[in-house]
Structure formats: structure tokens, C-alpha cells
Amino acid sequence: MADLNPISGEIESALDRSQSLLPRILILGGTGEGIELATRLANRKDLRTISSLAGRVREPKRPEGVVRVGGFGGVDGLASYLVKENIRMVVDATHPFAVQISRNAELACGRLGLPLIGFIRPPWVQTKADLWHEVADFREAATLVDRQKGRVFLSIGRQELGSFAVCHGTWFLIRAIEEPTGPLPDLHKTILRRGPFNLDEELQLLRDHSIDRVISKNSGGSATYTKIEAAQLLGIPVVMVKRPVKHAIVTVETLEEVILEINRLVRSN
């Protein structure tokens, strides 16, 4: 019996060969929305889905259905994979800050003439109660907080922590799912926890560590918003890193819009 949640190299054995003419959709995932989309499509009889995860986390949350893990090898590797697996449509449901895979998807799909749906969850919007200082990137955030010193809660994932290795006068509380491997600031404490976290947990964390500033990227969504809400309630300023430009194509902001586009593909098949 085939693995219900296989990894790379087992795609063909996991998909039902008797239904090989059904359109295949590749979901570039790694987000809650990617998992939700895979779940909503898993039991459909008129298509097949493959979810792709980057593999940066050792034990990622795995979507329902067929899963591959790991990179593609740039634009050429992705284009080759799309042809090999007979993919008819790609849905980019990656993180709003995962720029490279989105650009690769645009180039690969453009080369092959495949439809690409770019899903981007709406960003958080500052309210009158928020004390935000928006910055263009992580380096600007590092320069800002190190100039002001203090105790900073750094919750941005592992990929961009190196930007803060230049900070020497600021103490950082770093939260990550797995132990960071790159350079880190001189003064820091690392806690390894996987969210989501409720509001009471975030309030307690900020109080216990006497945090006077939070650094966050504008991820949007509800999964990590509680730290922003906790900072607001405690009157703690937030250094908010703006989103990079992710797509050149028109994007959608709801999974309902994604499914509408998928339905159009299925009807035209």
C-alpha cells in the first residue's frame, strides 16, 4: 500500500495510475494556507495535487495527500519537474517573504505556458493602538535596534537571523522552531518552540523577558499575529519589516479565488 504522505521520488507510485489523465496541480506550500488548500482538494475525483515543501525545517507540518520535500534546482530544475510530472497548473502558496521560489515559478511557468496562481495572504495593517516603525529590510531593522539598545524579541524565522549578527549592544530573545545554524548576535537567548501561540502565552513571554521592542516581518494571517497583539496591549514598539515584491503577475488573497481558478482548469480539461 502506497504511503499516504510520500516524499520526493515517490510521486508516481503514490498517484493512481488508472487516473493519470486527470489534471495535476502543484502546490508550492509551507504555509497554513498551503496545507488548507491541499486538504480542501484532497478528496476531489477530478484532479490530483502534489504539495511541495522547501525542506528547511526537519519535521515540517505535512499537508494531506502527496508531498515532495526539497528544492528544485532553480528555474531549469523546476521547469524540468513540471514537464516530468505532467503538471497542468501551479499554485504558489509560499510565505510572503519567500521571493526566490515565486520568481522561479513565474519564469518556469512562463517558459512552459502553464497557468500560475499567486496566492498572497493580506498583510497586517497598523491600527491607532499599534506602535510600529516600518523598515524596508532586516539590515535596516538591525541598525535601528542596535542604535537604540535594549531587549528585543526577534521572531522572524531562521533564514534572516544573520542580519543581526552585527549587533553588539542589544540583547535578543530569539524564537525558532529549530536551532539556528548561522551567525547570531553577541547577546542572545534562543528558545525553540513551534506555534501557533495564544495571546496569554505571548503576553507572558514578553513580560518574563522584559522585552522593550519586537522585531517582526509583516507575514499577515492569524497564526503569528498574537505577538503583535501582545506588543500592542503592553505598549511595546514593533519594528515591522515590510514585504518584498514577490510577484510580477496578478495575485489573489483568498483560497476561494484559488479554487475558482482551479475549477476553470478542470472544466477546460
Side-chain angles (χ1 to χ4, degrees):
M1 180 172 160
D3 189 342
L4 294 179
N5 207 11
I7 61 173
S8 307
E10 301 173 345
I11 303 299
E12 283 297 338
S13 62
L15 291 167
D16 189 342
R17 293 178 183 274
S18 67
Q19 297 178 321
S20 59
L21 295 180
L22 293 178
R24 290 185 179 183
I25 297 169
L26 176 66
I27 302 172
L28 302 174
T31 59
E33 292 87 357
I35 292 174
E36 182 181 346
L37 180 62
T39 299
R40 292 171 68 169
L41 298 177
N43 295 321
R44 289 190 46 167
K45 306 299 183 183
D46 55 351
L47 56 83
R48 290 292 177 265
T49 61
I50 302 170
S51 294
S52 177
L53 307 180
R56 292 194 180 97
V57 177
R58 191 174 296 110
E59 295 182 6
K61 294 181 179 179
R62 300 174 69 87
E64 187 173 346
V66 179
V67 178
R68 71 171 299 280
V69 178
F72 291 99
V75 177
D76 292 342
L78 177 55
S80 176
Y81 177 87
L82 296 176
V83 172
K84 177 184 176 182
E85 297 297 340
N86 194 27
I87 302 298
R88 294 287 305 282
M89 173 182 281
V90 178
V91 178
D92 180 2
T94 56
H95 193 277
F97 280 72
V99 174
Q100 192 60 58
I101 183 60
S102 298
R103 292 176 179 172
N104 289 351
E106 286 192 9
L107 291 171
C109 288
R111 180 186 299 177
L112 300 174
L114 289 179
L116 169 66
I117 304 174
F119 167 83
I120 303 181
R121 67 173 81 115
W124 298 320
V125 178
Q126 183 177 7
T127 70
K128 291 182 179 180
D130 288 308
L131 302 173
W132 287 10
H133 184 108
E134 291 187 301
V135 295
D137 54 33
F138 298 100
R139 288 186 179 182
E140 185 179 347
T143 299
L144 175 66
V145 297
D146 205 36
R147 187 168 62 239
Q148 298 176 343
K149 313 303 181 187
R151 297 173 64 85
V152 173
F153 178 38
L154 187 56
S155 178
I156 59 171
R158 295 187 303 162
Q159 301 302 309
E160 301 295 342
L161 291 177
S163 297
F164 298 87
V166 299
C167 298
H168 301 293
T170 301
W171 183 89
F172 292 90
L173 175 65
I174 298 172
R175 184 169 67 192
I177 296 175
E178 295 180 356
E179 193 71 44
T181 56
L184 297 173
D186 292 337
L187 306 173
H188 73 274
K189 174 182 178 180
T190 302
I191 55 175
L192 303 181
R193 296 176 189 169
R194 184 191 292 270
F197 305 97
N198 64 44
L199 180 58
D200 287 339
E201 290 174 317
E202 298 294 63
L203 286 167
Q204 193 65 46
L205 182 75
L206 298 180
R207 289 180 178 129
D208 286 348
H209 293 88
S210 302
I211 298 299
D212 50 33
R213 190 166 282 102
V214 172
I215 298 178
S216 175
K217 49 192 177 185
N218 196 333
S219 300
S222 60
T224 60
Y225 184 70
T226 49
K227 66 186 175 190
I228 307 302
E229 190 176 3
Q232 178 197 101
L233 291 173
L234 296 176
I236 297 174
V238 175
V239 179
M240 186 67 72
V241 181
K242 296 179 182 178
R243 291 182 174 187
V245 177
K246 186 174 169 71
H247 276 298
I249 62 172
V250 176
T251 59
V252 298
E253 292 187 339
T254 68
L255 292 184
E256 285 67 30
E257 293 172 282
V258 174
I259 292 174
L260 280 175
E261 291 300 320
I262 292 174
N263 290 341
R264 290 192 184 99
L265 169 69
V266 171
R267 287 197 297 267
S268 65
N269 187 53

